[in-house]
Amino acid sequence: MFRGVFTALITPFNKDGSVDYGALRDLVEIQITEGVNGLVPVGTTGESPTVTHEENVKIVEVVVDQTKGRVPVIAGTGSNCTDEAIQMTKRAKEIGADATLQVAPYYNKPNQEGFYRHFVTIAETCELPVIVYNIPGRTGKNVEPETILRLAGHPLIAGVKEASGSMAQVMEILAKRPEGFAVLSGDDNLTLPIVALGGDGVVSVASNIVPRRMSAFVKALLEGRMEEARRSHYELLPLFKAIFIDTNPIPVKYAMTLLSSLSIQEVYRLPLCPLAEDKKRVVKAVLEELGII
């Protein structure tokens, strides 16, 4: 189930700041039509810190409904409060999500035993496959390889989205993981080395913009067509860089306002705000150079 390209969906907003569920449905449909392997609503790219719990659940519900079982939906229902994560994850399961993305608890910075108990408690209480989301640049603390491998032994811990940026960490997990435990890149620009080393795919920001090209790139990687994959990697690398020219998801959402296939507004919720004009020019130039617009 957890192999290939999983799009970390943006959350479209209307001009009044409310969630644009119509645009979200359109985005889901394009992603599936263009060949992605799964969808991840309400992660970092979906602006999870500024949607309410009710909106979080409603976004998952809309994505599941629009998907209609065609690809897996990994619901972002994490929190730095274990009980809050459990409540949202239970609702995601009732809605029909296939798995849950659980971010490492942020700000309170638990020790490694705390990380372990947090993820296992959610998995066992909700009985929904858990993808651990390790992103220390956002959370303030790394889930160490030893902890991830300990979690990998649990039947309901299905994989990890690795966004530590440490290839040494990724290699240790890949070398020692049990069969069936998925390792997904959490960074578009590290997809090639992670999958080449044995990883299973990527939770992608870039695939919001270029789902077909990302799908072809990762398919080539997984099938061992390395020359083709390398070409795709270097062709897409300027895009990978451009969409992280500022805090995610500010650049990717701006880029999507330029796409003719969607009606995305350049609307964020504070403390996120629109991209500066000089950075907009950089993003737009990359999209033009790659023939995206």
Side-chain angles (χ1 to χ4, degrees):
M1 184 185 296
F2 307 114
R3 190 168 171 83
V5 174
F6 296 80
T7 301
L9 296 168
I10 67 159
T11 298
F13 294 133
N14 294 302
K15 287 188 177 179
D16 65 1
S18 61
V19 178
D20 186 344
Y21 293 107
L24 179 61
R25 286 184 181 275
D26 291 342
L27 175 58
V28 168
E29 201 58 37
I30 287 172
Q31 292 292 312
I32 295 171
T33 301
E34 295 288 293
V36 302
N37 302 98
L39 301 170
V40 186
V42 216
T44 304
T45 309
E47 297 179 65
S48 57
T50 55
V51 299
T52 67
H53 290 173
E54 287 302 313
E55 288 172 325
N56 191 312
V57 173
K58 179 65 175 178
I59 291 165
V60 172
E61 183 178 17
V62 168
V63 171
V64 169
D65 180 68
Q66 187 66 34
T67 300
K68 294 179 173 59
R70 289 174 289 174
V71 297
V73 175
I74 306 172
T77 51
S79 173
N80 63 341
C81 171
T82 306
D83 186 61
E84 286 181 357
I86 286 170
Q87 297 310 312
M88 285 196 292
T89 303
K90 281 182 174 178
R91 293 183 66 184
K93 183 184 179 184
E94 291 167 1
I95 288 163
D98 299 282
T100 173
L101 183 72
Q102 289 291 331
V103 67
Y106 40 88
Y107 188 77
N108 41 18
K109 297 176 73 173
N111 58 29
Q112 297 301 309
E113 181 64 24
F115 279 135
Y116 178 81
R117 294 186 188 188
H118 172 80
F119 293 118
V120 168
T121 299
I122 294 166
E124 292 183 345
T125 304
C126 302
E127 297 185 326
L128 191 66
V130 169
I131 303 293
V132 174
Y133 182 12
N134 185 35
I135 183 165
R138 294 267 186 173
T139 64
K141 196 161 184 180
N142 187 44
V143 184
E144 298 294 337
E146 295 82 3
T147 304
I148 291 172
L149 290 166
R150 185 182 173 199
L151 287 163
H154 192 285
L156 282 169
I157 308 293
V160 62
K161 176 187 175 185
E162 241 302 322
S164 68
S166 169
M167 289 306 299
Q169 171 148 324
V170 172
M171 287 187 287
E172 184 171 351
I173 295 166
L174 286 169
K176 298 177 182 178
R177 65 172 171 170
E179 185 177 352
F181 182 78
V183 177
L184 300 168
S185 174
D187 297 294
D188 283 301
N189 64 346
L190 292 181
T191 303
L192 187 146
I194 288 176
V195 176
L197 287 163
D200 298 283
V202 59
V203 179
S204 175
V205 176
S207 59
N208 279 281
I209 304 168
V210 286
R212 186 176 295 276
R213 290 168 78 166
M214 280 301 297
S215 297
F217 163 45
V218 174
K219 188 171 189 288
L221 266 175
L222 290 169
E223 292 178 356
R225 292 179 276 119
M226 291 305 298
E227 286 298 326
E228 180 183 341
R230 269 194 293 270
R231 282 196 304 272
S232 294
H233 168 78
Y234 284 114
E235 286 170 2
L236 291 168
L237 189 57
L239 177 64
F240 297 161
K241 293 172 67 177
I243 59 176
F244 285 91
I245 198 171
D246 202 336
T247 301
N248 181 45
I250 294 172
V252 67
K253 196 175 237 188
Y254 166 68
M256 293 179 74
T257 69
L258 304 175
L259 303 180
S260 59
S261 57
L262 288 163
S263 298
I264 302 296
Q265 306 282 342
E266 192 187 0
V267 179
Y268 313 83
R269 289 182 179 175
L270 288 171
L272 297 188
C273 60
L275 198 60
E277 290 300 322
D278 59 331
K279 292 180 179 179
K280 285 183 178 180
R281 288 192 289 272
V282 172
V283 172
K284 187 175 182 182
V286 169
L287 297 184
E288 290 172 340
E289 182 182 340
L290 292 175
I292 298 167
I293 59 172

